[in-house]
C-alpha cells in the first residue's frame, strides 16, 4: 500500500512538475500517554508516531502521503487489541494519508485517505478512506461524503487535539472497517449548511449499508439517519457572547449487539434531541445542556462516528465503543461545562476543560493542555487530566436483556510534539 501511494504521488508530480511549481510541506507528530487506572480500572502507557508530507501545487491541487503507528509499551489489561473492552493503543500502524485534494474559491474535494474536516459535518471527524466534496455558494455550502473506512484516533471537535492518536489508533483495515462501519458497510452522507453573522443551520442524511451488529444471527438491514441543527449566536455586550444550539437526529436501524431473535421492528427506531447553551466572557467559557435519546432499550442508540460533545469519557475510557456510551437508547442526560482558554497567551499558553454530566450517563472530567514550546510550525504540548465515566451496557441474563453499569476512572498524563 505504501508503494502504491508513493507511486501515485510521484507520477502525478512528474506529469505536472515540468510546468508548475510545488512546495513540499512535511507534517507529523510524536506523542505518548500514560493512563493510571484508579480503583479497579486499567493502567497502560502508549507512544505514537505520525509522519508525512504534502506536495502543494500553485493551481489549487495538493497531494499527500503519510503513515501512523502506535505502540503499547505497558498494559495491565489482559484483553487483546480489537476487543471492545481493550485498554491501550495496541501495536498497530497504517498508511494514514494517500490522497489528492483540490480547492478553489467555491469547490473543494479530496479522494483517497485524507482528513475530511474541511467538510462541515459534525458527526464525522479526522481521516477517512473514500471521497469528500463541498461547494460554497454565498452563505450556503453543499457537501457529500463517501466513506469506505476510517482511521480511528479519537478525534472529537470540542476536545484536546493533543490526545488524538495517543490513546487509540484503529487502522482502516481490519479494526475500523470491522468494528465501526461493519464488514460490508459503506457510508454515504449528503447535506447542506447555511450561515450568516448570527444564525446557522444544517441538514444531513446518512446511509450505512451495514452496521457491525448485523453480522449476528438473524440480523440484516441498513442504518439510515436524517438530522440537522439550528444555532443562534450574539453578543450581549462588548465582553459577553452566547451560542444557543438545538440538534436532532432521526435514526432507522438497530445498533444493539443482540441477535435478530431478540429484537423486533419497533426496536429499529431511535431519535436524538439535544440542546446546548454556551456563554463566553473574555477567556472563560461555560454552559449547560441536556439531551435525550428516544427509543427501545433494545435499540442500541444513536450511531455516530464523531460528535460535537465535550465528553472525554469515550476517547479515554471507551474508544472502541459504538454507539458512543453517552448516546445509548432510552437515555436522558444533563451536563454543565466550563473552560479557561489562555492558548494565545505568550506567557502561559494553556487550556483547561471541565465537565460534569448526570442522568443515564455520568462523567466527571478535567483536562489541562499546555503549550510548552513553539517555533514556526513546530510545537510541544503536554497535559494532565482526570476522567471518570459511568455508562449503561445492555447484557443478556439468560434470554432477558438487562442493564449493567460500567465504571472507569483514569488519571492521564500525555504529550505530543507536532511539526
Amino acid at each position: 500500500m505504501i508503494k502504491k501511494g508513493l507511486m501515485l504521488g510521484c507520477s502525478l508530480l512528474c506529469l505536472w512538475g515540468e510546468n508548475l511549481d510545488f512546495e513540499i510541506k512535511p507534517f507529523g507528530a510524536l506523542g505518548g500517554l500514560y493512563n493510571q487506572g484508579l480503583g479497579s480500572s486499567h493502567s497502560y502507557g502508549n507512544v505514537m508516531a505520525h509522519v508525512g508530507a504534502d506536495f502543494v501545487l500553485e493551481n489549487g491541487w495538493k497531494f499527500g502521503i503519510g503513515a501512523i503507528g502506535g505502540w503499547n509499551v505497558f498494559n495491565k489489561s489482559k484483553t487483546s487489541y480489537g476487543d471492545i473492552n481493550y485498554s491501550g493503543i495496541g501495536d498497530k500502524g497504517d498508511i494514514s494519508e494517500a490522497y489528492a485534494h483540490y480547492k478553489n474559491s467555491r469547490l473543494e474535494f479530496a479522494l483517497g485517505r485524507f482528513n475530511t474536516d474541511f467538510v462541515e459535518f459534525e458527526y464525522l471527524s479526522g481521516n477517512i478512506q473514500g471521497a469528500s466534496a463541498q461547494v460554497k455558494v454565498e452563505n450556503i455550502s453543499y457537501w457529500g461524503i463517501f466513506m469506505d473506512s476510517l482511521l480511528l484516533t479519537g478525534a472529537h471537535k470540542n476536545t484536546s487535539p493533543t490526545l488524538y492518536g495517543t490513546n487509540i489508533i484503529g487502522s482502516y483495515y481490519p479494526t475500523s472497517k470491522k468494528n465501526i462501519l461493519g464488514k460490508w458497510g459503506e457510508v454515504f452522507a449528503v447535506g447542506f449548511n447555511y450561515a450568516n453573522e448570527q444564525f446557522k443551520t444544517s441538514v444531513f442524511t446518512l446511509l450505512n449499508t451495514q452496521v457491525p451488529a448485523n453480522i449476528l444471527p438473524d440480523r440484516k438491514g441498513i442504518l439510515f439517519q436524517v438530522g440537522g441543527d439550528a444555532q443562534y449566536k450574539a453578543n450581549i455586550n462588548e465582553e459577553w457572547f452566547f451560542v444557543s444550539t438545538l440538534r436532532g437526529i432521526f435514526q432507522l436501524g438497530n445498533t444493539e449487539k443482540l441477535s435478530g431473535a431478540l429484537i423486533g421492528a419497533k426496536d429499529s427506531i431511535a431519535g436524538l434531541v439535544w440542546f446546548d447553551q454556551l456563554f463566553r466572557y473574555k477567556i472563560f467559557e461555560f454552559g449547560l445542556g441536556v439531551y435525550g435519546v428516544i427509543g427501545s432499550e433494545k435499540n442500541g442508540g444513536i450511531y455516530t462516528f464523531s460528535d460535537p460533545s465535550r465528553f472525554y469519557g469515550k476517547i479515554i475510557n471507551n474508544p472502541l465503543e459504538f454507539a458512543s456510551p453517552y448516546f445509548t437508547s432510552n437515555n436522558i442526560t444533563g451536563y454543565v461545562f466550563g473552560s479557561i482558554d489562555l492558548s494565545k497567551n505568550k506567557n502561559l499558553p494553556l487550556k483547561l476543560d471541565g465537565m460534569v454530566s448526570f442522568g443515564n450517563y455520568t462523567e466527571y472530567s478535567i483536562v489541562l493542555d499546555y503549550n510548552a514550546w513553539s517555533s514556526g510550525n513546530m510545537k510541544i504540548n503536554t497535559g494532565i487530566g482526570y476522567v471518570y465515566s459511568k455508562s449503561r451496557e445492555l447484557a443478556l441474563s439468560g434470554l432477558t436483556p438487562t442493564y449493567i453499569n460500567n465504571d472507569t476512572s483514569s488519571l492521564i498524563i500525555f504529550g505530543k510534539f507536532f511539526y
Side-chain angles (χ1 to χ4, degrees):
M1 193 67 185
I2 296 176
K3 183 178 179 181
K4 290 182 179 179
L6 289 172
M7 289 176 64
L8 172 64
C10 291
S11 298
L12 290 169
L13 289 174
C14 287
L15 287 172
W16 289 0
E18 294 182 2
N19 300 315
L20 295 173
D21 293 330
F22 67 90
E23 180 182 3
I24 299 176
K25 294 184 177 181
F27 63 84
L30 179 65
L33 174 143
Y34 176 74
N35 186 332
Q36 176 60 54
L38 303 178
S40 60
S41 301
H42 50 274
S43 297
Y44 57 88
N46 305 322
V47 294
M48 60 81 65
H50 183 200
V51 60
D54 290 328
F55 300 86
V56 184
L57 282 72
E58 62 182 7
N59 63 350
W61 283 94
K62 179 172 69 172
F63 302 90
I65 186 75
I68 194 169
W71 297 267
N72 184 215
V73 295
F74 167 71
N75 196 342
K76 292 185 68 175
S77 173
K78 295 182 180 180
T79 55
S80 60
Y81 186 73
D83 189 297
I84 202 70
N85 297 309
Y86 177 76
S87 306
I89 199 168
D91 301 323
K92 291 289 180 179
D94 207 344
I95 303 300
S96 52
E97 290 87 12
Y99 69 84
H101 178 276
Y102 176 77
K103 181 180 181 181
N104 62 27
S105 60
R106 292 193 175 216
L107 170 66
E108 186 170 4
F109 68 84
L111 53 89
R113 292 183 172 184
F114 60 93
N115 190 305
T116 191
D117 287 352
F118 68 87
V119 174
E120 300 172 29
F121 181 41
E122 292 188 317
Y123 298 102
L124 179 59
S125 182
N127 282 30
I128 70 168
Q129 176 171 288
S132 296
Q134 182 165 269
V135 178
K136 293 186 177 182
V137 181
E138 297 180 348
N139 292 337
I140 302 177
S141 60
Y142 305 90
W143 57 267
I145 297 173
F146 162 68
M147 179 171 66
D148 172 69
S149 187
L150 61 84
L151 180 69
L152 181 64
T153 60
H156 275 63
K157 179 180 178 181
N158 289 316
T159 58
S160 169
T162 305
L163 283 169
Y164 302 167
T166 62
N167 193 55
I168 183 69
I169 293 177
S171 58
Y172 292 95
Y173 293 94
T175 304
S176 293
K177 183 67 172 179
K178 176 183 176 182
N179 294 318
I180 303 175
L181 276 78
K183 184 177 180 181
W184 307 109
E186 306 290 345
V187 173
F188 304 86
V190 294
F192 72 88
N193 308 301
Y194 169 84
N196 59 31
E197 291 185 359
Q198 292 186 305
F199 181 73
K200 179 181 178 181
T201 188
S202 66
V203 175
F204 76 89
T205 183
L206 180 145
L207 172 69
N208 186 358
T209 58
Q210 182 199 47
V211 293
N214 283 344
I215 65 172
L216 296 171
D218 302 316
R219 290 290 298 268
K220 61 181 180 179
I222 61 174
L223 181 75
F224 173 77
Q225 293 177 340
V226 59
D229 63 59
Q231 183 181 95
Y232 180 75
K233 58 184 179 180
N235 292 311
I236 300 173
N237 55 38
E238 292 183 356
E239 296 181 327
W240 283 89
F241 176 81
F242 76 89
V243 182
S244 302
T245 307
L246 179 64
R247 300 181 177 96
I249 296 176
F250 169 79
Q251 176 176 286
L252 183 63
N254 194 300
T255 62
E256 188 56 77
K257 302 172 184 66
L258 294 174
S259 69
L262 296 174
I263 58 177
K266 66 181 179 63
D267 300 317
S268 65
I269 298 174
L272 169 69
V273 180
W274 180 4
F275 176 75
D276 183 272
Q277 179 65 58
L278 176 145
F279 296 95
R280 182 180 300 141
Y281 175 72
K282 296 183 179 180
I283 63 170
F284 303 99
E285 282 189 354
F286 58 92
L288 51 84
V290 62
Y291 65 87
V293 181
I294 305 162
S296 162
E297 64 179 11
K298 297 180 184 179
N299 175 268
I302 298 298
Y303 205 93
T304 61
F305 303 100
S306 183
D307 61 73
S309 72
R310 298 170 177 85
F311 295 125
Y312 280 89
K314 176 180 178 175
I315 63 176
I316 298 299
N317 296 332
N318 308 97
L320 280 167
E321 190 168 331
F322 293 83
S324 297
Y326 39 82
F327 283 161
T328 56
S329 189
N330 199 18
N331 171 2
I332 297 177
T333 297
Y335 58 87
V336 295
F337 62 90
S339 70
I340 302 173
D341 190 355
L342 289 166
S343 56
K344 296 181 180 179
N345 186 296
K346 294 182 179 180
N347 298 318
L348 192 64
L350 60 82
K351 186 177 182 185
L352 179 67
D353 292 328
M355 155 73 75
V356 176
S357 73
F358 44 88
N360 295 117
Y361 174 75
T362 303
E363 177 174 318
Y364 314 123
S365 60
I366 183 167
V367 176
L368 173 69
D369 191 337
Y370 172 63
N371 178 213
W373 174 83
S374 62
S375 177
N377 293 327
M378 298 183 295
K379 65 177 181 178
I380 296 175
N381 278 30
T382 60
I384 187 169
Y386 171 74
V387 181
Y388 167 81
S389 60
K390 181 173 74 173
S391 58
R392 303 181 307 165
E393 181 180 342
L394 198 63
L396 285 178
S397 178
L399 294 177
T400 304
T402 184
Y403 283 116
I404 60 174
N405 289 324
N406 288 326
D407 294 60
T408 310
S409 187
S410 301
L411 177 65
I412 55 172
I413 301 171
F414 57 95
K416 188 181 285 186
F417 166 61
F418 299 87
Y419 67 89

